[in-house]
Amino acid sequence: SQQGEEDPQALSIQEGENATMNCSYKTSINNLQWYRQNSGRGLVHLILIRSNEREKHSGRLRVTLDTSKKSSSLLITASRAADTASYFCATYLWGQNFVFGPGTRLSVLP
Amino acid sequence: SQTIHQWPATLVQPVGSPLSLECTVEGTSNPNLYWYRQAAGRGLQLLFYSVGIGQISSEVPQNLSASRPQDRQFILSSKKLLLSDSGFYLCAWSVQGASETQYFGPGTRLLVL
Protein backbone atom coordinates (compact mmCIF):
# COMPACT_ATOMS: atom_id res chain seq x y z
CA SER A 1 0.00 0.00 0.00
CA GLN A 2 1.10 3.56 -0.55
CA GLN A 3 2.59 5.12 2.52
CA GLY A 4 4.34 8.36 3.32
CA GLU A 5 7.46 8.01 5.40
CA GLU A 6 8.88 11.20 6.82
CA ASP A 7 12.55 11.75 7.41
CA PRO A 8 13.99 12.67 9.84
CA GLN A 9 11.84 11.41 12.69
CA ALA A 10 12.93 14.34 14.82
CA LEU A 11 14.66 17.62 14.00
CA SER A 12 15.96 20.29 16.34
CA ILE A 13 17.09 23.67 15.04
CA GLN A 14 17.67 27.22 16.23
CA GLU A 15 15.22 30.02 15.55
CA GLY A 16 15.94 31.67 12.22
CA GLU A 17 17.35 28.54 10.63
CA ASN A 18 15.61 26.65 7.84
CA ALA A 19 14.00 23.28 8.51
CA THR A 20 13.75 20.62 5.83
CA MET A 21 11.65 17.50 6.14
CA ASN A 22 11.38 14.74 3.58
CA CYS A 23 8.65 12.30 2.68
CA SER A 24 8.87 9.15 0.57
CA TYR A 25 6.00 7.04 -0.69
CA LYS A 26 5.60 3.82 -2.59
CA THR A 27 2.90 4.02 -5.25
CA SER A 28 1.22 6.45 -7.66
CA ILE A 29 -0.52 9.46 -6.22
CA ASN A 30 -2.81 12.27 -7.34
CA ASN A 31 -1.52 14.66 -4.75
CA LEU A 32 0.60 14.91 -1.65
CA GLN A 33 -0.24 17.06 1.31
CA TRP A 34 1.57 18.31 4.38
CA TYR A 35 -0.15 18.73 7.71
CA ARG A 36 0.98 20.21 11.00
CA GLN A 37 0.00 19.01 14.46
CA ASN A 38 0.66 20.88 17.65
CA SER A 39 0.99 18.66 20.70
CA GLY A 40 -2.33 17.19 21.72
CA ARG A 41 -4.25 18.91 18.95
CA GLY A 42 -5.80 18.02 15.61
CA LEU A 43 -3.98 18.22 12.31
CA VAL A 44 -4.01 21.39 10.26
CA HIS A 45 -3.65 21.30 6.50
CA LEU A 46 -0.64 23.30 5.32
CA ILE A 47 -0.19 22.78 1.61
CA LEU A 48 -1.18 20.47 -1.24
CA ILE A 49 0.93 19.70 -4.28
CA ARG A 50 -0.53 17.81 -7.24
CA SER A 51 1.27 15.05 -9.07
CA ASN A 52 1.85 17.29 -12.11
CA GLU A 53 3.46 20.04 -10.02
CA ARG A 54 7.09 20.17 -9.00
CA GLU A 55 7.19 23.03 -6.52
CA LYS A 56 4.77 25.10 -4.54
CA HIS A 57 5.10 28.00 -2.12
CA SER A 58 2.91 29.30 0.66
CA GLY A 59 4.37 32.01 2.87
CA ARG A 60 7.48 30.56 4.54
CA LEU A 61 6.66 27.07 3.25
CA ARG A 62 8.15 25.54 0.14
CA VAL A 63 7.14 22.07 -1.01
CA THR A 64 8.76 20.08 -3.78
CA LEU A 65 7.59 16.87 -5.38
CA ASP A 66 9.62 14.40 -7.42
CA THR A 67 7.29 11.73 -8.71
CA SER A 68 10.14 9.83 -10.36
CA LYS A 69 11.75 9.36 -6.95
CA LYS A 70 8.40 9.19 -5.15
CA SER A 71 9.53 11.82 -2.70
CA SER A 72 8.60 15.26 -1.42
CA SER A 73 10.24 17.81 0.81
CA LEU A 74 8.86 20.53 3.04
CA LEU A 75 11.08 23.52 3.70
CA ILE A 76 10.22 26.01 6.43
CA THR A 77 12.35 29.12 6.08
CA ALA A 78 13.35 31.46 8.90
CA SER A 79 11.85 29.15 11.51
CA ARG A 80 10.21 30.47 14.66
CA ALA A 81 9.62 28.88 18.04
CA ALA A 82 5.92 28.75 17.12
CA ASP A 83 6.79 26.34 14.28
CA THR A 84 7.53 23.67 16.88
CA ALA A 85 5.13 20.84 16.03
CA SER A 86 4.89 17.49 14.28
CA TYR A 87 4.65 17.55 10.51
CA PHE A 88 2.98 14.79 8.50
CA CYS A 89 2.85 14.08 4.82
CA ALA A 90 -0.22 12.36 3.39
CA THR A 91 -0.65 10.86 -0.02
CA TYR A 92 -3.93 10.75 -1.87
CA LEU A 93 -5.07 8.66 -4.83
CA TRP A 94 -8.58 8.96 -6.25
CA GLY A 95 -10.82 6.18 -5.09
CA GLN A 96 -8.61 5.41 -2.13
CA ASN A 97 -8.14 6.92 1.27
CA PHE A 98 -5.42 9.23 2.53
CA VAL A 99 -2.31 7.55 3.86
CA PHE A 100 -0.31 9.41 6.49
CA GLY A 101 3.32 8.94 7.38
CA PRO A 102 4.61 8.68 10.98
CA GLY A 103 5.61 12.35 11.06
CA THR A 104 8.65 14.51 11.83
CA ARG A 105 8.83 16.18 15.23
CA LEU A 106 10.31 19.64 14.77
CA SER A 107 11.68 21.59 17.70
CA VAL A 108 12.68 25.20 17.11
CA LEU A 109 14.81 26.51 19.95
CA PRO A 110 14.71 30.21 20.84
CA SER B 1 -17.43 28.50 7.30
CA GLN B 2 -17.08 24.88 8.19
CA THR B 3 -16.23 23.66 11.66
CA ILE B 4 -15.78 20.24 13.16
CA HIS B 5 -16.38 19.38 16.78
CA GLN B 6 -15.35 16.40 18.86
CA TRP B 7 -16.24 15.52 22.40
CA PRO B 8 -15.27 14.78 24.95
CA ALA B 9 -11.77 16.26 24.77
CA THR B 10 -10.41 13.80 27.31
CA LEU B 11 -11.80 10.56 28.65
CA VAL B 12 -10.56 8.06 31.24
CA GLN B 13 -12.42 4.76 31.19
CA PRO B 14 -11.94 1.40 32.92
CA VAL B 15 -11.27 -1.74 30.91
CA GLY B 16 -14.50 -3.41 29.88
CA SER B 17 -16.59 -0.24 29.92
CA PRO B 18 -18.45 1.06 26.84
CA LEU B 19 -17.32 3.97 24.72
CA SER B 20 -19.04 6.63 22.67
CA LEU B 21 -17.13 9.44 20.99
CA GLU B 22 -19.00 11.96 18.93
CA CYS B 23 -18.01 14.10 15.98
CA THR B 24 -20.16 16.70 14.25
CA VAL B 25 -19.48 18.91 11.27
CA GLU B 26 -21.11 22.26 10.61
CA GLY B 27 -21.29 24.35 7.49
CA THR B 28 -21.19 21.63 4.87
CA SER B 29 -23.47 18.94 3.52
CA ASN B 30 -22.85 15.30 2.70
CA PRO B 31 -19.21 15.27 3.74
CA ASN B 32 -16.95 12.25 3.78
CA LEU B 33 -16.20 11.48 7.43
CA TYR B 34 -13.24 9.67 8.94
CA TRP B 35 -12.10 8.30 12.30
CA TYR B 36 -8.37 7.97 12.93
CA ARG B 37 -6.41 6.73 15.92
CA GLN B 38 -2.99 8.08 16.76
CA ALA B 39 -0.69 6.32 19.20
CA ALA B 40 1.65 8.53 21.22
CA GLY B 41 4.32 10.07 18.96
CA ARG B 42 3.11 8.14 15.94
CA GLY B 43 1.25 8.65 12.69
CA LEU B 44 -2.44 8.24 12.01
CA GLN B 45 -4.21 4.94 11.53
CA LEU B 46 -7.47 5.13 9.60
CA LEU B 47 -10.18 3.24 11.48
CA PHE B 48 -13.42 4.02 9.65
CA TYR B 49 -14.70 6.21 6.87
CA SER B 50 -18.18 7.06 5.66
CA VAL B 51 -19.45 8.52 2.41
CA GLY B 52 -23.06 8.87 3.55
CA ILE B 53 -25.65 8.19 6.23
CA GLY B 54 -25.49 4.59 7.35
CA GLN B 55 -22.53 3.84 5.08
CA ILE B 56 -19.49 2.78 7.09
CA SER B 57 -16.29 1.17 5.87
CA SER B 58 -13.78 -0.32 8.25
CA GLU B 59 -10.09 -0.28 7.49
CA VAL B 60 -8.84 -2.61 10.21
CA PRO B 61 -10.45 -5.30 12.36
CA GLN B 62 -10.76 -4.11 15.92
CA ASN B 63 -12.78 -3.72 19.04
CA LEU B 64 -14.46 -0.56 17.78
CA SER B 65 -17.43 0.29 15.59
CA ALA B 66 -18.71 3.45 13.93
CA SER B 67 -22.09 4.80 13.00
CA ARG B 68 -23.40 7.75 11.04
CA PRO B 69 -26.97 8.38 12.16
CA GLN B 70 -27.15 11.83 10.58
CA ASP B 71 -25.43 13.48 7.62
CA ARG B 72 -22.97 15.44 9.75
CA GLN B 73 -22.65 13.20 12.77
CA PHE B 74 -20.13 10.41 13.15
CA ILE B 75 -19.92 8.26 16.27
CA LEU B 76 -17.16 5.90 17.38
CA SER B 77 -18.21 3.21 19.82
CA SER B 78 -17.11 0.17 21.72
CA LYS B 79 -19.09 -2.26 23.86
CA LYS B 80 -16.08 -3.22 25.98
CA LEU B 81 -12.87 -1.21 26.00
CA LEU B 82 -9.44 -2.84 25.97
CA LEU B 83 -6.21 -1.37 27.30
CA SER B 84 -4.96 -1.23 23.72
CA ASP B 85 -7.81 1.13 22.81
CA SER B 86 -5.99 3.97 24.56
CA GLY B 87 -4.88 6.70 22.19
CA PHE B 88 -5.75 9.96 20.55
CA TYR B 89 -8.83 9.76 18.33
CA LEU B 90 -9.26 12.20 15.51
CA CYS B 91 -12.30 12.84 13.39
CA ALA B 92 -11.93 14.44 9.98
CA TRP B 93 -14.10 15.44 7.05
CA SER B 94 -13.55 16.10 3.39
CA VAL B 95 -15.69 17.35 0.54
CA GLN B 96 -17.70 14.60 -1.14
CA GLY B 97 -16.47 13.95 -4.66
CA ALA B 98 -13.49 16.28 -4.39
CA SER B 99 -11.94 14.90 -1.26
CA GLU B 100 -8.44 16.18 -1.75
CA THR B 101 -8.03 17.80 1.64
CA GLN B 102 -9.07 16.61 5.06
CA TYR B 103 -10.08 18.89 7.90
CA PHE B 104 -9.51 17.58 11.39
CA GLY B 105 -11.28 18.03 14.67
CA PRO B 106 -9.43 18.79 17.91
CA GLY B 107 -9.29 15.14 18.94
CA THR B 108 -10.26 13.08 21.97
CA ARG B 109 -7.62 11.62 24.24
CA LEU B 110 -8.76 8.27 25.60
CA LEU B 111 -7.02 6.51 28.44
CA VAL B 112 -8.20 3.03 29.31
CA LEU B 113 -7.10 1.83 32.74
Side-chain angles (χ1 to χ4, degrees):
Chain A
S1 62
Q2 60 186 37
Q3 181 174 11
E5 292 280 347
E6 289 92 346
D7 166 52
Q9 291 185 340
L11 180 62
S12 187
I13 59 175
Q14 295 293 131
E15 230 176 358
E17 294 180 340
N18 295 342
T20 299
M21 289 161 271
N22 303 297
C23 171
S24 60
Y25 57 94
K26 297 178 181 177
T27 62
S28 297
I29 62 171
N30 289 114
N31 67 62
L32 185 144
Q33 304 171 38
W34 285 91
Y35 290 79
R36 166 196 168 121
Q37 182 182 35
N38 287 72
S39 180
R41 308 292 293 274
L43 277 70
V44 175
H45 181 259
L46 293 176
I47 194 166
L48 178 154
I49 186 165
R50 301 185 191 284
S51 60
N52 62 351
E53 297 176 312
R54 292 296 167 260
E55 187 172 314
K56 206 162 184 180
H57 297 256
S58 176
R60 292 185 296 113
L61 305 180
R62 173 178 170 257
V63 171
T64 62
L65 179 64
D66 187 335
T67 53
S68 66
K69 296 181 179 178
K70 291 186 169 57
S71 68
S72 173
S73 67
L74 172 67
L75 168 67
I76 304 175
T77 60
S79 62
R80 306 166 182 168
D83 294 328
T84 295
S86 290
Y87 292 82
F88 296 89
C89 70
T91 54
Y92 178 73
L93 183 64
W94 289 333
Q96 299 188 25
N97 285 310
F98 296 81
V99 180
F100 287 81
T104 292
R105 295 186 306 279
L106 173 65
S107 297
V108 181
L109 307 175
Chain B
S1 63
Q2 301 87 5
T3 56
I4 178 169
H5 304 277
Q6 282 186 249
W7 65 90
T10 305
L11 191 59
V12 181
Q13 292 284 96
V15 169
S17 64
L19 173 74
S20 181
L21 302 182
E22 190 161 341
C23 170
T24 59
V25 181
E26 296 177 356
T28 188
S29 296
N30 197 27
N32 291 331
L33 294 172
Y34 309 82
W35 277 113
Y36 290 89
R37 177 168 57 203
Q38 184 179 31
R42 304 293 296 277
L44 278 67
Q45 179 188 34
L46 179 63
L47 301 176
F48 301 96
Y49 67 95
S50 171
V51 298
I53 296 174
Q55 300 179 62
I56 309 294
S57 296
S58 174
E59 285 293 294
V60 293
Q62 59 208 309
N63 184 43
L64 302 169
S65 62
S67 62
R68 184 170 178 174
Q70 300 180 41
D71 180 44
R72 288 168 288 181
Q73 184 185 31
F74 206 22
I75 298 172
L76 184 68
S77 304
S78 174
K79 292 182 179 179
K80 289 186 178 182
L81 284 168
L82 306 173
L83 288 174
S84 58
D85 291 324
S86 293
F88 191 50
Y89 289 84
L90 289 158
C91 180
W93 73 273
S94 65
V95 174
Q96 183 77 256
S99 49
E100 292 188 323
T101 299
Q102 289 193 327
Y103 302 92
F104 285 81
T108 293
R109 186 161 304 283
L110 172 66
L111 179 60
V112 182
L113 301 175

